[in-house]
PDB file of all heavy atoms in Angstrom:
ATOM      1  N   HIS A 205      -2.435 -33.852   0.593  1.00 98.00           N
ATOM      2  CA  HIS A 205      -3.157 -35.019   1.096  1.00 98.00           C
ATOM      3  C   HIS A 205      -2.264 -35.820   2.036  1.00 98.00           C
ATOM      4  O   HIS A 205      -1.047 -35.705   1.990  1.00 98.00           O
ATOM      5  CB  HIS A 205      -3.653 -35.909  -0.053  1.00 98.00           C
ATOM      6  CG  HIS A 205      -4.693 -36.870   0.392  1.00 98.00           C
ATOM      7  ND1 HIS A 205      -4.406 -38.177   0.708  1.00 98.00           N
ATOM      8  CD2 HIS A 205      -6.009 -36.697   0.650  1.00 98.00           C
ATOM      9  CE1 HIS A 205      -5.528 -38.785   1.116  1.00 98.00           C
ATOM     10  NE2 HIS A 205      -6.509 -37.901   1.086  1.00 98.00           N
ATOM     11  N   TRP A 206      -2.914 -36.604   2.930  1.00 98.00           N
ATOM     12  CA  TRP A 206      -2.129 -37.329   3.928  1.00 98.00           C
ATOM     13  C   TRP A 206      -1.529 -38.630   3.396  1.00 98.00           C
ATOM     14  O   TRP A 206      -0.551 -39.123   3.941  1.00 98.00           O
ATOM     15  CB  TRP A 206      -2.952 -37.613   5.182  1.00 98.00           C
ATOM     16  CG  TRP A 206      -4.282 -38.249   4.917  1.00 98.00           C
ATOM     17  CD1 TRP A 206      -4.532 -39.560   4.710  1.00 98.00           C
ATOM     18  CD2 TRP A 206      -5.542 -37.573   4.824  1.00 98.00           C
ATOM     19  NE1 TRP A 206      -5.878 -39.751   4.493  1.00 98.00           N
ATOM     20  CE2 TRP A 206      -6.524 -38.542   4.557  1.00 98.00           C
ATOM     21  CE3 TRP A 206      -5.946 -36.233   4.933  1.00 98.00           C
ATOM     22  CZ2 TRP A 206      -7.867 -38.234   4.400  1.00 98.00           C
ATOM     23  CZ3 TRP A 206      -7.281 -35.914   4.779  1.00 98.00           C
ATOM     24  CH2 TRP A 206      -8.225 -36.906   4.519  1.00 98.00           C
ATOM     25  N   ALA A 207      -2.114 -39.159   2.303  1.00 98.00           N
ATOM     26  CA  ALA A 207      -1.594 -40.434   1.782  1.00 98.00           C
ATOM     27  C   ALA A 207      -0.436 -40.174   0.809  1.00 98.00           C
ATOM     28  O   ALA A 207      -0.348 -39.111   0.193  1.00 98.00           O
ATOM     29  CB  ALA A 207      -2.706 -41.193   1.076  1.00 98.00           C
ATOM     30  N   ASP A 208       0.427 -41.157   0.652  1.00 97.00           N
ATOM     31  CA  ASP A 208       1.564 -41.016  -0.265  1.00 97.00           C
ATOM     32  C   ASP A 208       1.112 -41.085  -1.717  1.00 97.00           C
ATOM     33  O   ASP A 208       1.660 -40.430  -2.586  1.00 97.00           O
ATOM     34  CB  ASP A 208       2.584 -42.143  -0.023  1.00 97.00           C
ATOM     35  CG  ASP A 208       3.251 -41.979   1.325  1.00 97.00           C
ATOM     36  OD1 ASP A 208       3.381 -40.835   1.782  1.00 97.00           O
ATOM     37  OD2 ASP A 208       3.632 -42.999   1.928  1.00 97.00           O
ATOM     38  N   LYS A 209       0.124 -41.939  -1.964  1.00 97.00           N
ATOM     39  CA  LYS A 209      -0.422 -42.088  -3.315  1.00 97.00           C
ATOM     40  C   LYS A 209      -1.699 -42.912  -3.227  1.00 97.00           C
ATOM     41  O   LYS A 209      -2.021 -43.434  -2.168  1.00 97.00           O
ATOM     42  CB  LYS A 209       0.593 -42.781  -4.237  1.00 97.00           C
ATOM     43  CG  LYS A 209       0.919 -44.210  -3.803  1.00 97.00           C
ATOM     44  CD  LYS A 209       2.154 -44.792  -4.466  1.00 97.00           C
ATOM     45  CE  LYS A 209       2.052 -44.829  -5.962  1.00 97.00           C
ATOM     46  NZ  LYS A 209       3.125 -45.598  -6.605  1.00 97.00           N
ATOM     47  N   GLY A 210      -2.412 -43.025  -4.339  1.00 98.00           N
ATOM     48  CA  GLY A 210      -3.545 -43.942  -4.321  1.00 98.00           C
ATOM     49  C   GLY A 210      -4.829 -43.358  -4.858  1.00 98.00           C
ATOM     50  O   GLY A 210      -4.848 -42.331  -5.546  1.00 98.00           O
ATOM     51  N   PHE A 212      -7.397 -41.323  -4.558  1.00 98.00           N
ATOM     52  CA  PHE A 212      -7.932 -40.124  -3.898  1.00 98.00           C
ATOM     53  C   PHE A 212      -8.137 -39.057  -4.966  1.00 98.00           C
ATOM     54  O   PHE A 212      -7.386 -38.082  -5.063  1.00 98.00           O
ATOM     55  CB  PHE A 212      -6.970 -39.634  -2.809  1.00 98.00           C
ATOM     56  CG  PHE A 212      -6.759 -40.650  -1.717  1.00 98.00           C
ATOM     57  CD1 PHE A 212      -5.615 -41.431  -1.683  1.00 98.00           C
ATOM     58  CD2 PHE A 212      -7.726 -40.846  -0.732  1.00 98.00           C
ATOM     59  CE1 PHE A 212      -5.428 -42.385  -0.698  1.00 98.00           C
ATOM     60  CE2 PHE A 212      -7.541 -41.796   0.260  1.00 98.00           C
ATOM     61  CZ  PHE A 212      -6.395 -42.573   0.274  1.00 98.00           C
ATOM     62  N   ILE A 216      -3.698 -34.120  -4.009  1.00 98.00           N
ATOM     63  CA  ILE A 216      -2.282 -33.951  -4.359  1.00 98.00           C
ATOM     64  C   ILE A 216      -1.446 -34.415  -3.172  1.00 98.00           C
ATOM     65  O   ILE A 216      -1.706 -34.007  -2.032  1.00 98.00           O
ATOM     66  CB  ILE A 216      -1.978 -32.453  -4.643  1.00 98.00           C
ATOM     67  CG1 ILE A 216      -2.907 -31.867  -5.717  1.00 98.00           C
ATOM     68  CG2 ILE A 216      -0.504 -32.243  -5.010  1.00 98.00           C
ATOM     69  CD1 ILE A 216      -2.666 -32.280  -7.131  1.00 98.00           C
ATOM     70  N   SER A 217      -0.441 -35.231  -3.437  1.00 98.00           N
ATOM     71  CA  SER A 217       0.345 -35.805  -2.330  1.00 98.00           C
ATOM     72  C   SER A 217       1.578 -34.966  -2.001  1.00 98.00           C
ATOM     73  O   SER A 217       2.016 -34.121  -2.794  1.00 98.00           O
ATOM     74  CB  SER A 217       0.808 -37.209  -2.710  1.00 98.00           C
ATOM     75  OG  SER A 217       1.831 -37.123  -3.690  1.00 98.00           O
ATOM     76  N   GLY A 218       2.142 -35.284  -0.848  1.00 98.00           N
ATOM     77  CA  GLY A 218       3.388 -34.634  -0.433  1.00 98.00           C
ATOM     78  C   GLY A 218       4.513 -34.914  -1.412  1.00 98.00           C
ATOM     79  O   GLY A 218       5.321 -34.030  -1.714  1.00 98.00           O
ATOM     80  N   ALA A 219       4.564 -36.139  -1.938  1.00 98.00           N
ATOM     81  CA  ALA A 219       5.619 -36.488  -2.900  1.00 98.00           C
ATOM     82  C   ALA A 219       5.512 -35.605  -4.147  1.00 98.00           C
ATOM     83  O   ALA A 219       6.512 -35.137  -4.691  1.00 98.00           O
ATOM     84  CB  ALA A 219       5.498 -37.960  -3.274  1.00 98.00           C
ATOM     85  N   MET A 220       4.265 -35.361  -4.579  1.00 98.00           N
ATOM     86  CA  MET A 220       4.068 -34.522  -5.772  1.00 98.00           C
ATOM     87  C   MET A 220       4.519 -33.088  -5.504  1.00 98.00           C
ATOM     88  O   MET A 220       5.163 -32.446  -6.341  1.00 98.00           O
ATOM     89  CB  MET A 220       2.590 -34.525  -6.164  1.00 98.00           C
ATOM     90  CG  MET A 220       2.097 -35.867  -6.656  1.00 98.00           C
ATOM     91  SD  MET A 220       0.293 -35.884  -6.687  1.00 98.00           S
ATOM     92  CE  MET A 220       0.016 -37.492  -7.396  1.00 98.00           C
ATOM     93  N   ALA A 253       1.907 -35.421   6.966  1.00 98.00           N
ATOM     94  CA  ALA A 253       2.379 -35.652   5.592  1.00 98.00           C
ATOM     95  C   ALA A 253       3.368 -34.564   5.178  1.00 98.00           C
ATOM     96  O   ALA A 253       4.408 -34.847   4.576  1.00 98.00           O
ATOM     97  CB  ALA A 253       1.196 -35.689   4.632  1.00 98.00           C
ATOM     98  N   LYS A 256       6.633 -35.178   6.837  1.00 98.00           N
ATOM     99  CA  LYS A 256       7.276 -36.354   6.241  1.00 98.00           C
ATOM    100  C   LYS A 256       8.022 -35.982   4.955  1.00 98.00           C
ATOM    101  O   LYS A 256       9.103 -36.490   4.679  1.00 98.00           O
ATOM    102  CB  LYS A 256       6.204 -37.420   5.942  1.00 98.00           C
ATOM    103  CG  LYS A 256       6.719 -38.630   5.231  1.00 98.00           C
ATOM    104  CD  LYS A 256       5.639 -39.699   5.076  1.00 98.00           C
ATOM    105  CE  LYS A 256       6.190 -40.854   4.251  1.00 98.00           C
ATOM    106  NZ  LYS A 256       5.169 -41.861   3.996  1.00 98.00           N
ATOM    107  N   TYR A 257       7.440 -35.084   4.182  1.00 98.00           N
ATOM    108  CA  TYR A 257       8.044 -34.707   2.905  1.00 98.00           C
ATOM    109  C   TYR A 257       8.888 -33.432   3.012  1.00 98.00           C
ATOM    110  O   TYR A 257       9.270 -32.836   2.000  1.00 98.00           O
ATOM    111  CB  TYR A 257       6.965 -34.581   1.821  1.00 98.00           C
ATOM    112  CG  TYR A 257       6.508 -35.949   1.383  1.00 98.00           C
ATOM    113  CD1 TYR A 257       5.363 -36.527   1.922  1.00 98.00           C
ATOM    114  CD2 TYR A 257       7.282 -36.697   0.499  1.00 98.00           C
ATOM    115  CE1 TYR A 257       4.983 -37.815   1.557  1.00 98.00           C
ATOM    116  CE2 TYR A 257       6.896 -37.979   0.130  1.00 98.00           C
ATOM    117  CZ  TYR A 257       5.755 -38.536   0.662  1.00 98.00           C
ATOM    118  OH  TYR A 257       5.394 -39.807   0.302  1.00 98.00           O
TER     119      TYR A 257
END
Side-chain angles (χ1 to χ4, degrees):
H205 196 262
W206 51 83
D208 292 330
K209 63 195 301 190
F212 299 101
I216 305 287
S217 72
M220 293 166 176
K256 175 175 175 184
Y257 285 97

